[in-house]
Amino acid sequence: MFWNLQVSAKMSKTPSTTVSMIHATSPEGQVPSPRRMSFTHPVVAKKISFYKSGDPQFGGVRVVVNPRSFKTFDALLDNLSRKVPLPFGVRNISTPRGRHSITSLEELEDGESYLCSHGRKVKPVDLDKARQRPRPWLSSRAISAHAHRSPAAATPSRLRALRRLVVFRNGDPKTRCTVFLSRRVTQSFDALLQHLTEVMRRPVTKLYATDGRKVLSLQAVILSSGAVVAAGREPFKPGNYDVQKCLLPARLPGISHHLYPKGNARSQSRKSGNWKVSIITSDLPNAGTSSQIYIVLYGQRRSSAPIYLYGTDGARFQDGHEDIFTITVGDIGTLFKIRIGHTNSGLSPSWHCKEIQLWNMNSEKKFYIPVQRWLARDQEDGEICREFPVLNKGQPILPVTVYEVHVATGELWNAGTVANVYISVYGEKGDTGSRQLLQSKGSFNFLRGQTDTFSLEAVHLGNLCKIVIGHDGLGPGNGWFLDDVVIKDPTTNHEYSFLCHRWLDQGEDDGKIVRELYARDNSIIFARQKLELNRKETWAAERWKFMKGNTLQFYNRLTGGFVRLHPDSTVDAVGEETDKYGLFDVVFNEGNICIFRSHEMRHLSLALNNNSVTGMACGGASTELRVLYQPNHCALLESTLVPGHAVIFDCHGKIADESSAGYADLSKEFVVFVKGVFLDTAVLLLATSPCQALCLQPDGSCTGVGNQSEKSYWKVHKISSGICMFESVKRSQMYLRIKDGHCDGTGIGDIDCHFKIKKNLENASVSLESMKSPGLFVGLQSDGQAKPVIYSKTGNVFFYPQVIKFGRENPVGMLATPSQEEEKIHESKNQQETPSESEARGPLLFSAAKEGRPSESREILQSEDEWKVLVLTGNTGTQANVILWVYGDEGVTGPVHLSKDSPEQLFLPRQEDEFQVEIRNTGKIYKIRIGHDGTSEQPEWSLQRVTMQHMKSKKILEFAANAWLSRIQANGDVVCELPVVKEGQAIFPLVRYHVDIHSGQLKQAETEPEVSLCLYGERGDSGLRLLYKSNMPVKFQRGQIDTFHVEAVSLGKLQKVLLHCEASDKSQHWYCEKVVVREPGSASESIFTCERWLPFMSQGMIHSEIELYLQEMQINHQPKIQEEANEGDWKVTVVTGDLENAGTTATVSLYVYGEAGCLGPIILGSGKHQLFNPNTEDTFKINLKDIGEIYKICIGHDNSGKNPRWYLEEIRLENIGTCELFCLTVDSWIPENGSDGDVWKEMPIVRTNKATLLGI
């Protein structure tokens, strides 16, 4: 049955607000009402504004609240959660100052404002500031600096264009929807994904372009072609994602309500801004297009938004056809140019336009524009949009200009990009619109250190004022370091420069990939600014050389010699590197002003006296020299008394001045070297650019794009004169090496890690040559990744050392010759290859293992430790590697690899294989664990029985298995545990533990990588088991509980759980809330609280494993904590507040002060590794032995990362041994850049029996 709708409206005093009442009416006119409707008591509507806690930039939302729109308070919270971007939705509403919480609809007052938050704590905001913030859609787009803005131009009805986005379902092109990228939807990339999840009614965690490239940011969405593919955790699925068909909606903003093709146009009211547009497509072959056409009109007042031209009765813009449209653009003033273009979508996007005619339906002016141009990527200049001037009577026509755009990519490693780059140029006469910089004069665009030249055709813009340049963030390595842009105007022969010198990279700088740059029209001033900027960067990187106490040498590239100060005070520049008169000590340093005293003759210093270089007594003003660094890593030594007068030599190394010879024969630039850089135990940076350094990555690879921070520090191990090894400071026992054609940081200190230091005199850099493979050097690829290369002067083998800590002159135990050292290294390596007993006892699945020896080739073993192991295979054999563990009441043996010389003959169907193994120090055996590693083409295995026989006593242990060890059979496990059977009864029963894994509710808490678990109890452990088969279709989703089964011989009372999760990048990190283990038949359960991201960083190290303890045994966030505390062990719990953006991305450190000394800095970890998030507790274990009774602590951060500002709520210190507890309340911000004086907070320790220090 169909129902008619009758609407009765009551208008409030506010004209813009309508309260409607809707009734369903039957065809007979009767109203079937289930409840009585009273019109004598009108519904009272409250108009209320809601703002976001702690965010003055959020403009607020206005909501009409009445009993019909929101029946409950929870319904209002759910509605606001979709409008106010909060991590966990709106869960609390409070008064503007946050003092009183609202808990019911009745408490809300009409016309008032309230704050929304997701927690109990509320951060007040300045509502006046929030209310006055201009909305993006109200901003006018001024074209001329002299144009007058119309008040109507600022109204929303005039600028209605919202970006439309077609969203396809991954793998199903027929399922799609269209969304408008409104301000609410585009608050953040996460907000957009959340909105798409609601619209698509399925989880959306990733976006792809229609060609399969990953869309990683909100900017990339905005700059996309107008269509994306929405996916969950699954990879991209190719399909026929037809963008053109979906981009034709019923109505687009900026176009009149109806568009009429030729011959069917209706007359409309002649209000200002109505235009008729006629477009004729050429009759050339394939001139028509499948793409979406748009037009932009530019007037003296303003420009229109892009207006998409589409119809409702079939295809548009076909060969030889004329298409007519009626559009509404508002009052743009006198028309002076148009832009026509298309979206390059569909199967045949190329288009050849013949002509365009415009008719102003208000003034009846007509304009004819001959086009006769291709708009196609594969035709003419490859442009898909064109601009044309419009001839107005009495107005000069603007010329079409082909601007020359020079884009310079920076010299930093990995500075280049493969993303699509777009630019928009603005001038007095409008803008060019967003243009892709596609066809450069070079083969490849935007490479490191390269300047690309593009042509950009547009109607002349007059004097240029700014550009907007950015990229779409697509493709691998999409980050880009843009140095500058220079635009040449051939019409005026003028040149405009736009300095950037910043990253456009989501992982660098401020994370922006679009920048607005303003013109510097004086090329001389621009060149000076750029030079000064480069000088400052170089000085920042080289100033460490001039610290007081350093010993320097000055090399002159023209003379090929070192500066020398002789005993008779004469100076020249022809010395050898070993000349004792060529050494100078820095005895004074203030900024860039230094005094250089002779190392050999301590009564003389280098001086500039009366424009002459000489030696003089220290302390005089003539001995003070100003160091001026150049971008080429050379320094000038200038007099502080007479600016401009510098130390200068001729080509023969003699003192000169600029007037004594031709400038080409003079040199005042010096390469500065520091003595003692590569001493043993020195800590240094190997800089690759003024702000980058060689860095060891978590996966063991090396890159030259690391930050110049502690993670890029290397410790020097001097082997002999000029030969060193480099050990990572952050990851000890990992050495830089060249081996098997790779360069990485996974060396163990053998000959592969030995490097000869080659000093480059031209630029003060060094190159590292492999001693194992002479001729191969540590080099960098264009993306900064380290690789072995042959020496060249292109710069990819140059490293600029910066000393963090000087080493010692004569290292203890330093060998006399390299050959002797190599022998020692080889001996050490052989020792390392023999596994220790402790390694052989590890419970984890596939750690370093012993090998079971076949009986036919075995050695004579001690009879007490010798066992024969018989393994009977069922109907299905395996070619995987089989491993055995043996558990006894005194210890564990394993993992033991069961293998022979012919592994392909092992574990065949219905075959029994015999092995000889050595089992030591296990005591009385009570269980075994046997399994395989899942490798080879046939990993499935049917295991029937395992028999163990003691070779001396002939005692036999039978283990009946009858188990499938397969990922696709049974319970999906590839290991099984078997108990010892005595008198027909198992000593300990097999238990099928139920394990519930609770993933957290935090954003991106889910994970794709594999997760493993090991249970520990009174009787050993279960071994590390891969959590493979869950009760849920997709494992480890946000807020989800996954149930797994772990079968093991009874462990007795459970004590702890080990979780293991590997993740290659931060997006794969997993937030585990807790682990709950239940034993069948038992009403109790063991709860192991985690509340931690995995992997995580603690004390400077990244940990993929965490041990979780029961109740009093648990210290939540410390990996591998011993069950018995050592003397001096303390538990430190750091509580981050529950405010918006309370977390920090910085690295947090702690100092602890005691009566006998101070300990610190203790690096607790970095917010980049999921520590110090809002409303979380992070717990660490530290040892404070030998510092005495503590009386204060100091905590702070290094101000690193995008958001270093941190709200610290509380610190708790607990002595694990004595249970002594101190709770230190902070409740304050530790600000970015120390806005209140410092980025550190000091707190006194309050003791009842002692006076308390005053906190700072």
Side-chain angles (χ1 to χ4, degrees):
M1 178 179 289
F2 295 95
W3 299 90
N4 297 324
L5 296 180
Q6 294 181 345
V7 180
S8 173
K10 287 181 178 290
M11 305 299 294
S12 67
K13 294 182 181 179
T14 305
S16 62
T17 304
T18 304
V19 181
S20 301
M21 297 176 62
I22 302 177
H23 308 277
T25 307
S26 68
E28 291 78 13
Q30 297 174 346
V31 180
S33 177
R35 62 182 182 273
R36 184 178 179 183
M37 303 297 293
S38 174
F39 295 96
T40 58
H41 301 287
V43 176
V44 177
K46 304 175 184 178
K47 297 183 287 294
I48 302 170
S49 297
F50 294 93
Y51 296 87
K52 182 180 175 184
S53 170
D55 187 1
Q57 301 300 316
F58 182 71
V61 293
R62 193 172 177 85
V63 178
V64 176
V65 178
N66 59 52
R68 286 188 302 277
S69 58
F70 303 105
K71 298 184 183 302
T72 64
F73 187 69
D74 287 340
L76 174 62
L77 294 179
D78 291 340
N79 181 272
L80 290 174
S81 295
R82 295 191 291 270
K83 298 178 180 180
V84 182
L86 286 168
F88 306 106
V90 177
R91 291 294 173 264
N92 181 56
I93 298 176
S94 63
T95 54
R97 294 189 178 183
R99 294 179 178 176
H100 304 288
S101 292
I102 306 299
T103 58
S104 66
L105 295 174
E106 290 72 21
E107 295 180 56
L108 297 171
E109 297 183 12
D110 185 28
E112 295 297 326
S113 299
Y114 298 90
L115 294 183
C116 300
S117 64
H118 66 264
R120 290 176 287 102
K121 294 187 177 181
V122 179
K123 185 179 178 183
V125 298
D126 187 347
L127 294 185
D128 292 334
K129 181 179 179 181
R131 292 181 184 122
Q132 293 172 4
R133 183 169 179 260
R135 304 294 193 270
W137 54 81
L138 296 182
S139 59
S140 62
R141 295 165 53 183
I143 295 304
S144 171
H146 307 289
H148 299 284
R149 280 199 322 188
S150 168
T155 62
S157 61
R158 294 294 184 184
L159 291 177
R160 296 172 293 187
L162 290 177
R163 179 69 188 272
R164 300 172 65 252
L165 186 70
V166 177
V167 184
F168 292 96
R169 181 173 178 173
N170 190 24
D172 184 9
K174 294 182 180 179
T175 302
R176 60 181 181 265
C177 66
T178 302
V179 299
F180 288 92
L181 299 181
S182 65
R183 180 176 177 273
R184 178 181 68 85
V185 171
T186 57
Q187 286 285 333
S188 66
F189 190 57
D190 288 339
L192 175 61
L193 294 179
Q194 183 64 34
H195 179 71
L196 294 181
T197 296
E198 297 172 2
V199 172
M200 303 292 287
R201 297 183 179 179
R202 64 188 303 268
V204 177
T205 60
K206 294 179 288 189
L207 296 180
Y208 294 92
T210 53
D211 59 1
R213 292 176 298 169
K214 201 167 184 181
V215 178
L216 300 173
S217 66
L218 189 61
Q219 293 96 326
V221 173
I222 295 171
L223 293 170
S224 67
S225 61
V228 294
V229 179
R233 305 194 65 81
E234 75 278 5
F236 174 77
K237 300 176 182 178
N240 184 23
Y241 302 107
D242 188 355
V243 182
Q244 184 243 353
K245 184 186 297 183
C246 306
L247 284 175
L248 302 179
R251 176 182 171 191
L252 271 177
I255 305 179
S256 60
H257 289 208
H258 304 282
L259 296 178
Y260 305 101
K262 183 179 179 181
N264 194 29
R266 302 183 184 178
S267 61
Q268 299 186 16
S269 60
R270 295 191 174 185
K271 64 180 181 180
S272 173
N274 289 340
W275 292 75
K276 184 175 287 186
V277 181
S278 169
I279 298 178
I280 300 177
T281 301
S282 303
D283 55 4
L284 298 177
N286 301 316
T289 182
S290 61
S291 191
Q292 189 176 5
I293 305 297
Y294 67 86
I295 190 171
V296 183
L297 276 60
Y298 281 77
Q300 294 295 336
R301 292 184 181 275
R302 63 179 184 88
S303 68
S304 71
I307 302 171
Y308 289 88
L309 306 175
Y310 65 97
T312 59
D313 60 346
R316 306 278 104 200
F317 309 107
Q318 299 304 302
D319 300 1
H321 283 204
E322 179 182 13
D323 298 285
I324 300 177
F325 308 90
T326 301
I327 63 175
T328 301
V329 297
D331 183 10
I332 63 173
T334 303
L335 184 69
F336 68 87
K337 80 168 181 178
I338 68 165
R339 182 185 306 125
I340 189 84
H342 63 78
T343 58
N344 200 44
S345 57
L347 298 176
S348 54
S350 300
W351 182 43
H352 192 279
C353 181
K354 183 178 181 180
E355 65 180 55
I356 300 172
Q357 297 184 34
L358 299 170
W359 178 32
N360 188 324
M361 299 173 66
N362 183 43
S363 65
E364 298 190 355
K365 286 186 178 181
K366 294 183 179 180
F367 304 93
Y368 169 76
I369 302 169
V371 180
Q372 293 293 352
R373 297 287 299 273
W374 278 102
L375 287 79
R377 290 296 187 205
D378 56 354
Q379 299 286 345
E380 295 187 24
D381 56 2
E383 288 295 327
I384 57 173
C385 75
R386 305 280 181 194
E387 289 193 353
F388 301 95
V390 173
L391 178 61
N392 269 293
K393 197 170 184 179
Q395 298 287 337
I397 189 169
L398 297 173
V400 175
T401 302
V402 180
Y403 292 95
E404 198 172 280
V405 181
H406 303 270
V407 181
T409 300
E411 293 281 353
L412 299 185
W413 291 101
N414 205 27
T417 185
V418 297
N420 299 312
V421 175
Y422 297 84
I423 190 173
S424 183
V425 184
Y426 293 79
E428 292 177 316
K429 302 295 183 180
D431 59 78
T432 63
S434 182
R435 306 285 189 94
Q436 184 177 354
L437 298 178
L438 194 63
Q439 295 186 356
S440 168
K441 294 182 180 179
S443 302
F444 299 96
N445 298 340
F446 313 116
L447 298 180
R448 170 181 174 261
Q450 177 175 294
T451 298
D452 298 285
T453 302
F454 303 89
S455 296
L456 195 154
E457 181 184 290
V459 173
H460 194 259
L461 300 171
N463 291 327
L464 304 186
C465 58
K466 74 172 181 177
I467 63 171
V468 176
I469 188 167
H471 60 82
D472 57 8
L474 300 181
N478 55 66
W480 184 32
F481 189 87
L482 174 61
D483 212 348
D484 59 70
V485 178
V486 176
I487 300 179
K488 294 182 179 179
D489 183 349
T491 302
T492 62
N493 202 27
H494 202 81
E495 191 174 280
Y496 300 87
S497 302
F498 304 85
L499 182 63
C500 180
H501 203 70
R502 294 184 70 178
W503 283 101
L504 283 74
D505 190 340
Q506 291 173 310
E508 299 284 351
D509 206 336
D510 57 2
K512 293 182 179 180
I513 60 174
V514 178
R515 298 206 179 276
E516 189 173 281
L517 310 175
Y518 289 87
R520 292 170 169 84
D521 55 0
N522 189 317
S523 59
I524 297 177
I525 295 177
F526 171 73
R528 287 178 178 174
Q529 289 176 332
K530 190 173 180 180
L531 177 62
E532 189 61 30
L533 181 61
N534 289 333
R535 282 177 173 173
K536 287 181 179 179
E537 285 186 342
T538 308
W539 171 248
E542 298 283 345
R543 65 183 302 170
W544 70 273
K545 295 180 178 180
F546 301 92
M547 300 302 293
K548 186 176 179 180
N550 287 354
T551 301
L552 310 181
Q553 290 178 294
F554 300 97
Y555 175 77
N556 188 279
R557 295 194 295 184
L558 178 65
T559 66
F562 290 82
V563 175
R564 298 184 299 182
L565 175 56
H566 296 277
D568 61 357
S569 298
T570 59
V571 180
D572 62 37
V574 292
E576 297 293 332
E577 185 177 358
T578 57
D579 197 317
K580 63 180 181 180
Y581 297 124
L583 299 176
F584 297 89
D585 296 331
V586 181
V587 296
F588 174 80
N589 172 269
E590 187 175 292
N592 64 341
I593 298 175
C594 301
I595 295 178
F596 304 108
R597 187 181 66 188
S598 171
H599 184 74
E600 183 69 17
M601 300 163 295
R602 298 183 178 273
H603 64 286
L604 290 180
S605 296
L606 201 62
L608 261 174
N609 186 32
N610 295 326
N611 205 25
S612 177
V613 184
T614 184
M616 297 182 65
C618 294
S622 299
T623 61
E624 294 184 3
L625 301 178
R626 179 177 286 108
V627 181
L628 301 176
Y629 249 95
Q630 307 301 304
N632 61 356
H633 296 276
C634 290
L636 277 61
L637 303 179
E638 186 182 82
S639 170
T640 57
L641 292 177
V642 186
H645 287 197
V647 176
I648 189 167
F649 295 93
D650 62 19
C651 59
H652 303 292
K654 297 181 179 180
I655 299 169
D657 58 60
E658 295 187 15
S659 61
S660 63
Y663 191 79
D665 297 323
L666 301 177
S667 177
K668 53 185 176 181
E669 294 184 341
F670 302 95
V671 182
V672 182
F673 293 92
V674 181
K675 297 293 289 184
V677 171
F678 293 97
L679 296 179
D680 194 66
T681 71
V683 177
L684 49 81
L685 278 168
L686 294 173
T688 56
S689 75
C691 59
Q692 295 172 311
L694 186 68
C695 176
L696 177 62
Q697 300 287 82
D699 61 359
S701 64
C702 287
T703 177
V705 301
N707 295 324
Q708 293 186 356
S709 60
E710 188 177 356
K711 68 178 182 179
S712 301
Y713 290 175
W714 298 90
K715 183 179 181 181
V716 177
H717 295 270
K718 190 171 182 180
I719 305 303
S720 63
S721 178
I723 300 176
C724 299
M725 295 193 302
F726 300 92
E727 178 189 10
S728 171
V729 172
K730 293 292 287 184
R731 306 183 70 182
S732 60
Q733 303 301 314
M734 297 190 72
Y735 295 81
L736 183 67
R737 74 170 184 180
I738 289 180
K739 184 178 181 181
D740 300 331
H742 298 281
C743 179
D744 54 38
T746 60
I748 60 174
D750 57 4
I751 186 64
D752 294 323
C753 307
H754 292 194
F755 293 95
K756 183 179 180 180
I757 311 298
K758 176 181 171 60
K759 188 181 294 184
N760 301 301
L761 297 178
E762 297 298 310
N763 56 13
S765 68
V766 297
S767 299
L768 308 179
E769 182 181 11
S770 171
M771 292 296 294
K772 178 75 174 292
S773 305
L776 286 183
F777 290 77
V778 177
L780 301 178
Q781 302 179 99
S782 60
D783 62 356
Q785 286 300 309
K787 64 173 291 186
V789 298
I790 298 173
Y791 183 84
S792 66
K793 293 189 176 181
T794 57
N796 65 331
V797 296
F798 294 160
F799 298 93
Y800 300 88
Q802 298 180 23
V803 177
I804 307 301
K805 186 186 78 172
F806 281 94
R808 55 177 180 265
E809 187 68 40
N810 296 310
V812 177
M814 177 176 163
L815 300 182
T817 64
S819 60
Q820 293 172 337
E821 174 66 16
E822 290 169 19
E823 292 175 5
K824 185 173 181 179
I825 291 294
H826 282 300
E827 183 180 340
S828 172
K829 181 182 178 182
N830 292 333
Q831 293 173 356
Q832 291 174 2
E833 289 174 351
T834 303
S836 64
E837 185 177 343
S838 61
E839 288 173 338
R841 294 185 181 182
L844 304 187
L845 190 54
F846 301 119
S847 57
K850 298 179 180 179
E851 186 174 305
R853 299 176 180 145
S855 59
E856 59 267 23
S857 62
R858 68 182 178 89
E859 301 175 1
I860 299 176
L861 304 175
Q862 294 181 7
S863 58
E864 290 296 334
D865 301 323
E866 189 178 18
W867 287 76
K868 180 168 63 176
V869 177
L870 302 170
V871 179
L872 177 62
T873 299
N875 293 327
T876 303
T878 184
Q879 296 297 313
N881 299 311
V882 175
I883 303 98
L884 172 72
W885 291 262
V886 180
Y887 283 74
D889 56 7
E890 295 180 8
V892 184
T893 296
V896 178
H897 278 239
L898 302 180
S899 64
K900 293 184 180 181
D901 294 335
S902 301
E904 66 277 0
Q905 299 300 321
L906 294 177
F907 311 113
L908 298 178
R910 293 173 296 281
Q911 174 177 298
E912 187 172 56
D913 297 285
E914 180 180 327
F915 305 89
Q916 295 284 342
V917 299
E918 184 181 3
I919 301 176
R920 292 182 176 179
N921 306 319
T922 58
K924 188 175 181 180
I925 297 174
Y926 65 87
K927 77 170 181 177
I928 66 169
R929 183 186 313 120
I930 189 168
H932 62 81
D933 59 4
T935 59
S936 82
E937 296 179 357
Q938 182 60 38
E940 290 80 19
W941 186 29
S942 173
L943 175 63
Q944 289 294 103
R945 183 182 66 244
V946 178
T947 303
M948 295 179 62
Q949 183 180 15
H950 192 258
M951 298 300 293
K952 182 178 180 180
S953 66
K954 304 303 180 182
K955 178 181 179 180
I956 295 176
L957 299 176
E958 292 278 1
F959 301 91
N962 298 317
W964 267 102
L965 303 183
S966 168
R967 291 290 184 217
I968 59 177
Q969 300 284 347
N971 62 356
D973 212 342
V974 293
V975 296
C976 69
E977 289 199 352
L978 305 173
V980 169
V981 177
K982 187 176 181 180
E983 299 178 356
Q985 186 73 27
I987 296 178
F988 301 112
L990 271 176
V991 177
R992 189 175 172 86
Y993 291 96
H994 296 260
V995 180
D996 292 338
I997 306 292
H998 295 245
S999 296
Q1001 294 282 356
L1002 302 184
K1003 284 189 176 181
Q1004 298 181 338
E1006 65 278 357
T1007 188
E1008 290 180 351
E1010 294 180 338
V1011 177
S1012 301
L1013 170 140
C1014 182
L1015 302 175
Y1016 292 83
E1018 294 173 316
R1019 291 190 287 270
D1021 58 80
S1022 66
L1024 194 64
R1025 306 288 187 94
L1026 177 65
L1027 299 178
Y1028 188 72
K1029 281 195 173 182
S1030 168
N1031 64 322
M1032 307 299 289
V1034 181
K1035 296 182 293 185
F1036 310 119
Q1037 295 298 294
R1038 173 185 172 190
Q1040 180 172 291
I1041 302 175
D1042 293 272
T1043 300
F1044 302 89
H1045 295 97
V1046 176
E1047 189 173 77
V1049 173
S1050 176
L1051 300 170
K1053 183 180 179 181
L1054 295 182
Q1055 297 173 340
K1056 65 179 179 180
V1057 167
L1058 183 141
L1059 280 179
H1060 179 94
C1061 177
E1062 293 281 357
S1064 58
D1065 56 60
K1066 188 175 179 179
S1067 65
Q1068 296 180 336
H1069 286 204
W1070 172 49
Y1071 188 87
C1072 177
E1073 186 176 301
K1074 63 182 176 180
V1075 177
V1076 179
V1077 183
R1078 299 189 307 277
E1079 190 174 337
S1082 174
S1084 62
E1085 58 185 21
S1086 302
I1087 301 176
F1088 303 86
T1089 304
C1090 182
E1091 295 179 353
R1092 161 65 80 190
W1093 289 95
L1094 281 175
F1096 66 97
M1097 184 175 182
S1098 178
Q1099 296 182 332
M1101 297 292 292
I1102 296 177
H1103 300 274
S1104 299
E1105 295 178 351
I1106 186 171
E1107 289 187 356
L1108 311 176
Y1109 293 82
L1110 275 174
Q1111 299 175 359
E1112 71 276 359
M1113 297 177 63
Q1114 183 171 355
I1115 300 177
N1116 288 342
H1117 306 316
Q1118 177 68 18
K1120 305 280 187 179
I1121 292 179
Q1122 300 175 1
E1123 295 181 13
E1124 294 184 5
N1126 296 319
E1127 181 184 356
D1129 280 354
W1130 287 71
K1131 182 173 72 172
V1132 179
T1133 303
V1134 180
V1135 183
T1136 302
D1138 189 22
L1139 302 181
E1140 282 295 311
N1141 301 318
T1144 180
T1145 58
T1147 298
V1148 174
S1149 300
L1150 174 73
Y1151 288 84
V1152 182
Y1153 295 83
E1155 294 178 342
C1158 169
L1159 184 65
I1162 305 168
I1163 299 176
L1164 300 180
S1166 171
K1168 298 176 184 177
H1169 298 281
Q1170 304 296 358
L1171 292 174
F1172 314 115
N1173 290 316
N1175 195 28
T1176 60
E1177 293 186 0
D1178 297 286
T1179 306
F1180 311 89
K1181 189 178 78 172
I1182 62 176
N1183 190 277
L1184 303 179
K1185 186 180 178 182
D1186 301 329
I1187 70 168
E1189 193 173 78
I1190 61 175
Y1191 63 88
K1192 76 170 181 177
I1193 67 166
C1194 180
I1195 191 168
H1197 59 73
D1198 63 355
N1199 205 40
S1200 62
K1202 296 180 183 177
N1203 300 296
R1205 196 164 177 255
W1206 182 33
Y1207 189 86
L1208 177 59
E1209 184 173 297
E1210 184 183 39
I1211 301 175
R1212 296 194 293 270
L1213 292 91
E1214 180 181 356
N1215 190 316
I1216 299 176
T1218 65
C1219 297
E1220 186 179 21
L1221 177 66
F1222 299 103
C1223 297
L1224 310 178
T1225 302
V1226 184
D1227 269 335
S1228 66
W1229 288 94
I1230 299 182
E1232 177 182 356
N1233 297 324
S1235 57
D1236 68 347
D1238 207 348
V1239 293
W1240 294 88
K1241 293 289 182 184
E1242 283 194 358
M1243 278 77 64
I1245 301 297
V1246 179
R1247 297 181 185 272
T1248 57
N1249 58 344
K1250 289 195 175 183
T1252 302
L1253 296 174
L1254 293 177
I1256 298 176

